Amino acid sequence: MSTTSTPDPQPSRPSSSSSTNSSSGEKVAHAELQHAQPIKKLLMSSFLTPEIVSYFIAGGCAGAASRTVVSPLERLKIIQQVQPRTSDGQYKGVWRSLVRMWREEGFKGFMRGNGINCLRIVPYSAVQFTTYEQLKKFFTKHGSKELDTPKRLASGALAGITSVCSTYPLDLVRSRLSIATASIALASSTAPTAFSSSLASTSTSSGTLLNPSGGTSLPKHAAALFHTTSPARSASTAAVAGYTKAELTIAGMTLKIMREEGGVRGLYRGLITTAVGVAPYVGINFAAYEFLRGIITPPGKSSVSRKLGCGALAGTISQTLTYPFDVLRRKMQVTGMKGGQVKYRGAVHALTSILQAEGVRGLYRGLWPNLLKVAPSIATSFFTYELVKDLLIPS
């Protein structure tokens, strides 16, 4: 009896069918991928055009140049905004304060916080100028409509909001670093007695220093609270103020804020106030500059001095009109720092507290040094932007 084994035809058919389906599926996926790649390249090429890249680079260069030029005045403005009105050892007078800063900290004191300021301002300025240029094209339908003042204001305001939201944590950290090493008491006019006695018990020196606000002498360790820190005293003063040497760095201060003030949310303290203030400021700034350019730099009279003058006037006008928002922003940013007893619950609470304690004048503290800073800063910013843009995009 012979037996013959015949192969079962059933398993082979599904295998062939499965292989065919798999192969066709791969072909479809490959075809879709090939179809999507040109679309992706088109989107990237339409966004990252040489023109937009040039705007971005020119804006970044403008920001770095403008802030470095006025770094000492920028730090002085922040210190004067947050120092108590009645505290001893106040920074009073622009020239006298700058001399004091130089005497106690040297060139490093002038540039303190400028590293993170440039780190923040380069992307901030790049985003702002690029967004403004693109919004102008959007509102004018790429030149088919007239660019009037309302369109300039709207373009500038939206550009300001976009740039500040993208770089706000760096701005907050920079403000904290500027204040942390300064010799101001954030809350009270004099150091509490108990605190002074505890300092005295740990002091190893009985020498005294003259109180800069008058003739009264203070112990050296107490005077450290009211003076900017010299390089030799920076570590000890930081320790007294509640900051370690590691915390007086960009990364260290960022981690400290996140650890003690609610995580990432702490890095955005005062964002709404800032955005509300920045929108009109940037809008007025761009609108005023372009308006003044039409008057001061007509065709054939676009000298360097005229361009710088346009930027200086535009910055002065916009900053004066929106300065109270800047004061509120700084108050909100430093409200969580050690040594400050005033804790604002929000922008409205900060505003009412300042008005009750200091009146309208409190909203303009530090305006004079800020105006001295704004004129060369905005002038340098616009001039550098147009110079670099013209080099990258020849007309």
Side-chain angles (χ1 to χ4, degrees), residues 9-354:
Q10 298 300 324
S12 62
R13 291 176 182 173
S15 176
S16 176
S17 174
S18 175
S19 175
T20 303
N21 292 338
S22 176
S23 177
S24 62
E26 290 178 358
K27 289 180 179 179
V28 171
H30 183 67
E32 290 178 350
L33 182 61
Q34 287 183 330
H35 181 67
Q37 284 179 347
I39 297 176
K40 184 178 180 181
K41 290 181 180 180
L42 179 62
L43 291 175
M44 291 298 293
S45 63
S46 63
F47 179 75
L48 294 177
T49 62
E51 188 178 44
I52 292 179
V53 172
S54 298
Y55 293 152
F56 200 84
I57 294 174
C61 292
S66 64
R67 289 309 168 111
T68 301
V69 165
V70 297
S71 178
L73 291 170
E74 174 70 15
R75 188 185 180 211
L76 177 59
K77 180 201 73 170
I78 296 175
I79 291 173
Q80 289 190 336
Q81 282 179 340
V82 301
Q83 67 182 356
R85 182 179 54 171
T86 57
S87 69
D88 294 330
Q90 273 194 330
Y91 284 75
K92 296 179 179 179
V94 177
W95 177 250
R96 184 169 56 178
S97 296
L98 291 176
V99 171
R100 171 183 171 183
M101 197 182 296
W102 174 267
R103 185 177 65 247
E104 296 178 355
E105 297 186 77
F107 182 75
K108 183 183 290 186
F110 280 175
M111 293 293 114
R112 190 177 298 279
N114 189 56
I116 189 171
N117 201 21
C118 287
L119 183 64
R120 177 192 70 90
I121 201 64
V122 167
Y124 174 87
S125 183
V127 170
Q128 186 176 104
F129 276 103
T130 304
T131 306
Y132 179 71
E133 294 283 2
Q134 295 304 107
L135 286 173
K136 282 199 304 181
K137 294 177 182 178
F138 173 78
F139 284 125
T140 60
K141 304 296 183 181
H142 291 271
S144 61
K145 292 184 179 181
E146 181 185 358
L147 181 64
D148 53 18
T149 299
K151 290 186 177 68
R152 290 194 185 104
L153 288 171
S155 299
L158 292 173
I161 292 174
T162 302
S163 57
V164 78
C165 289
S166 62
T167 60
Y168 187 78
L170 286 172
D171 185 41
L172 184 139
V173 172
R174 190 260 306 188
S175 296
R176 295 291 182 90
L177 287 174
S178 294
I179 296 300
T181 57
S183 61
I184 57 174
L186 292 177
S188 57
S189 59
T190 57
T193 305
F195 187 50
S196 299
S197 62
S198 67
L199 287 174
S201 66
T202 58
S203 176
T204 58
S205 173
S206 59
T208 59
L209 295 174
L210 291 179
N211 184 341
S213 64
T216 307
S217 60
L218 294 170
K220 283 183 180 179
H221 48 266
L225 291 172
F226 304 98
H227 292 268
T228 50
T229 56
S230 65
R233 299 199 319 246
S234 61
S236 61
T237 304
V240 170
Y243 295 94
T244 64
K245 187 175 181 180
E247 289 173 343
L248 295 179
T249 62
I250 296 173
M253 183 63 73
T254 301
L255 293 174
K256 180 180 177 65
I257 294 172
M258 293 179 65
R259 183 174 61 251
E260 298 180 358
E261 301 180 35
V264 176
R265 184 179 180 182
L267 294 174
Y268 288 89
R269 184 189 300 274
L271 174 61
I272 295 177
T273 304
T274 302
V276 171
V278 163
Y281 168 70
V282 178
I284 295 171
N285 199 22
F286 277 111
Y289 177 74
E290 296 205 22
F291 174 77
L292 291 170
R293 280 294 305 271
I295 299 175
I296 301 177
T297 60
K301 295 183 178 180
S302 57
S303 62
V304 173
S305 59
R306 286 175 177 266
K307 290 181 179 179
L308 290 173
C310 287
L313 285 173
T316 300
I317 294 170
S318 59
Q319 188 65 46
T320 302
L321 293 176
T322 61
Y323 189 75
F325 290 106
D326 196 32
V327 174
L328 286 175
R329 172 173 59 138
R330 299 302 178 192
K331 292 284 190 179
M332 293 293 295
Q333 286 178 342
V334 302
T335 187
M337 293 183 72
K338 290 184 177 180
Q341 295 178 356
V342 180
K343 305 295 183 183
Y344 299 116
R345 296 189 297 270
V348 175
H349 180 229
L351 175 62
T352 55
S353 299
I354 294 171

Side-chain angles (χ1 to χ4, degrees), residues 358-381:
E358 306 175 49
V360 177
R361 186 177 181 180
L363 295 175
Y364 286 91
R365 287 172 56 186
L367 176 61
W368 174 237
N370 194 51
L371 290 179
L372 292 180
K373 173 186 76 73
V374 161
S377 175
I378 300 301
T380 302
S381 178

